Amino acid sequence: MLIILDNLNSHYEIEQLTRMFTKDLSVVYGAEKQHTEQADILTVSRRDKTVCAELTFNGKVYTDTLEADDSEDKMMLDICAAVYNMYTEAFGKKLAWGMLTGVRPVRLMRNLYKKHGDIEKVKDIFKNQYFVTDEKIKLCSDIFSLQKDIIDNCRPNDYSLYISIPFCPTRCSYCSFVSVGSTNATKLMEQYVEKLCEEIKYTALTAQKAKLNLKTIYIGGGTPTAVSAEQLERIMQTVKDNFDLSKVEEYTVEAGRPDCTTREKLQIIKKLGADRVSINPQTFSDEVLKAIGRKHTHQDFVECYKTAREIGFKSINTDLIAGLPQDTVEGFENSLKGCIELGAENITVHTLTLKRASNIVTNNQNNSYADVEQMLAKNAMLGENGYVPYYMYRQKSTLQSLENVGFSQPHHESLYNIYIMEEIQTIISCGAGGVTKVVGSDGELKRIYNYKYPTEYVKDFDTILARKDEVIDVCRQFGFLND
Ligand code: SF4
């Protein structure tokens, strides 16, 4: 598909919208480049106050003409609606999230609610302006209602601490994350842990100077348990020695992979103050696990989960992925049942995303994918077993443009997941790949980036510490630090 966008102020929305229907697209800007061999073409052009959209697809032509509104935002919405309607006719399918391309539908719902003050009006906008299905509107509004009190309780000087350990035992085939294989990185891991502990100490001082109150801690990755037990202990001891854990409301460690999460590491995690772990089967099918490059079986996961329970963790999250290669609707249902039977307090259901840097995509693997919408329909089982959806996000290139949803037993919602996804609380990040986000009381947001790769992080560590100082300046600028 070729898209020709002529004389428009904004292109992003139309390109993203098109990507939800076809991955095979190229874009040109301006009317003069219209000579092409391409058969399927979308042209959107603006002349003064008139916008013409024309789609040629499989030999059929669809057209629409719009009169431009005074507001550019409103006009872009109208253009996207016209294009979406042409695509649904041409491709013969509607999308569950309609023309919504954003990754945070709940935040959009919250913003619209702030503007209109009436949730029924907002649902009507989702249905009639964005063409979202009733089922997804309900999902979104259930999450919106559940999050309301949690979000209302956030104060501008609250923050969460994120610590990144970007190593993994092996690389999963669907992963595009910047994680380094731990088997050949012993020296780098040691250097990394040393610097990370320094950054954690420096962050504690920075947060003190900025008069911030720590609410949650999340150690993620990669796979934090890919480092040795001694290294994990050193990192978590540094956290304990430098932050007041007595007021922390939630402390999570991702013990994601059963192939490197030992009893000893789980004991260290518990001993040093974390009360929540995430242990991720992704699927209960050993064939599918093999197909995605995970070096553990479903039984390894079950044993790791039971060990975590024996050690005393009261809140355990299990991640599943719908749409994995070789999985089936029945297979996914079986995985879901497995997590429910174990009694996991949180079950997070991701939809497979085909990321450009993942092995699945770069190796051009010719996988067949079961109907992921049918898989997600099985999530109804979670509701029947007392789980409620509590946070959600979407990603680009997700199968059928569907969503990732965290489900929780009552009162086990992960606060950190809500804070990070809704971007309503400051998150200070340590480690490679970490992004600090300082959030102001009116929703202003300033991002401060750490280096992406552990090698750069270790090599240019002084820059990392210097960037931490910016947190104090931004807090001052946002008006919640007066000194
Ligand atoms: S465990 Fe997670 S971060 Fe590590 S390779 Fe697999 S998907 Fe990527």
Side-chain angles (χ1 to χ4, degrees):
M1 163 89 77
L2 173 70
I3 311 179
I4 301 165
L5 302 174
D6 177 27
N7 207 23
L8 297 180
N9 285 344
S10 170
H11 308 124
Y12 179 81
E13 291 87 349
I14 297 175
E15 290 177 30
Q16 291 311 313
L17 183 56
T18 308
R19 283 201 168 86
M20 297 202 298
F21 286 88
T22 175
K23 300 288 168 252
D24 178 21
L25 81 159
S26 49
V27 189
V28 294
Y29 307 105
E32 73 279 4
K33 296 183 183 171
Q34 289 185 21
H35 308 291
T36 172
E37 300 291 304
Q38 198 97 20
D40 299 328
I41 306 174
L42 170 76
T43 307
V44 182
S45 59
R46 179 180 181 171
R47 292 287 169 268
D48 298 323
K49 286 204 156 240
T50 306
V51 177
C52 295
E54 182 179 290
L55 171 67
T56 306
F57 190 81
N58 281 345
K60 278 182 82 174
V61 179
Y62 308 79
T63 56
D64 206 343
T65 304
L66 307 162
E67 282 310 305
D69 196 272
D70 285 342
S71 141
E72 286 294 321
D73 288 350
K74 171 76 172 64
M75 191 188 75
M76 191 41 71
L77 271 180
D78 290 346
I79 295 173
C80 285
V83 171
Y84 176 77
N85 286 325
M86 290 196 285
Y87 282 158
T88 55
E89 224 183 297
F91 286 83
K93 66 173 182 185
K94 292 186 175 178
L95 302 177
W97 286 100
M99 63 180 234
L100 270 191
T101 53
V103 297
R104 294 180 172 87
V106 182
R107 192 170 66 178
L108 174 67
M109 186 167 264
R110 185 173 313 107
N111 289 341
L112 288 170
Y113 179 74
K114 268 189 208 154
K115 187 171 166 196
H116 298 285
D118 175 359
I119 193 63
E120 292 312 315
K121 163 93 180 150
V122 176
K123 287 182 188 174
D124 186 66
I125 293 172
F126 264 54
K127 190 180 171 93
N128 295 311
Q129 284 187 23
Y130 292 108
F131 313 112
V132 180
T133 62
D134 290 341
E135 184 209 345
K136 298 301 178 199
I137 294 173
K138 179 171 180 338
L139 174 65
C140 203
S141 61
D142 285 352
I143 297 174
F144 165 75
S145 307
L146 185 140
Q147 290 182 348
K148 195 170 177 313
D149 286 348
I150 296 171
I151 290 178
D152 287 351
N153 280 333
C154 284
R155 298 286 164 269
N157 54 352
D158 290 344
Y159 81 107
S160 290
L161 174 68
Y162 177 79
I163 296 170
S164 162
I165 305 187
F167 299 95
C168 285
T170 54
R171 191 175 169 84
C172 307
S173 63
Y174 53 83
C175 181
S176 67
F177 187 75
V178 191
S179 70
V180 175
S182 53
T183 27
N184 299 320
T186 321
K187 193 170 159 216
L188 176 61
M189 275 159 80
E190 181 48 36
Q191 292 171 335
Y192 183 81
V193 170
E194 211 174 287
K195 295 296 182 200
L196 183 61
C197 290
E198 268 188 62
E199 192 190 1
I200 292 168
K201 286 182 204 163
Y202 197 81
T203 300
L205 290 175
T206 307
Q208 257 174 31
K209 285 185 202 161
K211 301 196 177 101
L212 296 172
N213 306 314
L214 182 59
K215 290 290 170 186
T216 77
I217 304 175
Y218 195 102
I219 303 187
T223 306
T225 45
V227 296
S228 72
E230 183 277 321
Q231 288 167 330
L232 182 63
E233 182 158 22
R234 225 185 314 152
I235 294 165
M236 291 190 69
Q237 189 66 52
T238 307
V239 173
K240 192 164 187 251
D241 293 345
N242 289 277
F243 292 88
D244 177 5
L245 298 189
S246 67
K247 295 199 184 79
V248 168
E249 293 171 1
E250 178 186 284
Y251 187 172
T252 304
V253 176
E254 258 197 57
R257 299 255 303 240
D259 45 351
C260 60
T261 303
T262 59
R263 176 178 284 271
E264 185 189 8
K265 290 179 192 174
L266 286 167
Q267 279 167 334
I268 290 168
I269 294 170
K270 186 81 177 65
K271 180 184 81 180
L272 292 174
D275 52 5
R276 183 173 178 273
V277 280
S278 188
I279 303 172
N280 303 326
Q282 314 297 31
T283 168
F284 272 47
S285 158
D286 288 344
E287 288 73 42
V288 178
L289 281 171
K290 206 168 160 200
I292 59 172
R294 303 269 288 202
K295 300 272 185 268
H296 62 85
T297 62
H298 117 265
Q299 192 51 36
D300 295 333
F301 156 74
V302 172
E303 278 161 25
C304 187
Y305 180 95
K306 288 187 173 164
T307 306
R309 276 286 184 239
E310 276 166 33
I311 288 171
F313 286 100
K314 300 261 182 314
S315 223
I316 304 183
N317 172 68
T318 54
D319 277 1
L320 291 175
I321 302 178
L324 287 172
Q326 296 188 26
D327 204 0
T328 59
V329 175
E330 295 70 32
F332 177 73
E333 186 178 15
N334 186 45
S335 305
L336 213 44
K337 269 188 198 151
C339 290
I340 294 170
E341 275 165 21
L342 284 170
E345 283 72 21
N346 294 166
I347 300 176
T348 309
V349 180
H350 297 265
T351 303
L352 182 70
T353 298
L354 296 175
K355 293 184 179 155
R356 266 185 300 172
S358 67
N359 291 343
I360 287 186
V361 174
T362 51
N363 298 347
N364 269 329
Q365 289 176 10
N366 205 5
N367 292 305
S368 62
Y369 297 103
D371 184 347
V372 78
E373 207 158 1
Q374 279 188 40
M375 289 179 166
L376 292 193
K378 301 292 175 192
N379 286 347
M381 251 194 309
L382 290 163
E384 289 153 17
N385 285 278
Y387 290 84
V388 288
Y390 77 97
Y391 88 106
M392 166 173 60
Y393 64 102
R394 298 171 70 214
Q395 286 169 291
K396 294 188 180 79
S397 307
T398 296
L399 294 183
Q400 293 170 230
S401 300
L402 291 167
E403 68 280 348
N404 307 314
V405 182
F407 293 87
S408 168
Q409 290 179 359
H411 315 301
H412 281 279
E413 300 84 19
S414 160
L415 298 174
Y416 176 84
N417 284 336
I418 296 175
Y419 298 153
I420 184 95
M421 274 313 148
E422 298 304 313
E423 295 183 326
I424 39 93
Q425 192 194 76
T426 293
I427 312 268
I428 305 190
S429 296
C430 296
V435 181
T436 292
K437 292 179 187 174
V438 184
V439 180
S441 43
D442 292 329
E444 322 91 298
L445 195 147
K446 165 80 182 166
R447 291 183 172 81
I448 302 164
Y449 293 89
N450 275 9
Y451 287 118
K452 215 170 170 186
Y453 298 97
T455 38
E456 301 170 281
Y457 174 83
V458 167
K459 212 165 133 205
D460 196 8
F461 185 67
D462 289 347
T463 304
I464 299 287
L465 296 191
R467 285 183 191 167
K468 275 278 159 318
D469 293 338
E470 287 179 42
V471 170
I472 303 170
D473 299 336
V474 179
C475 290
R476 212 172 270 131
Q477 199 184 312
F478 284 175
F480 54 87
L481 173 64
N482 306 305
D483 48 3

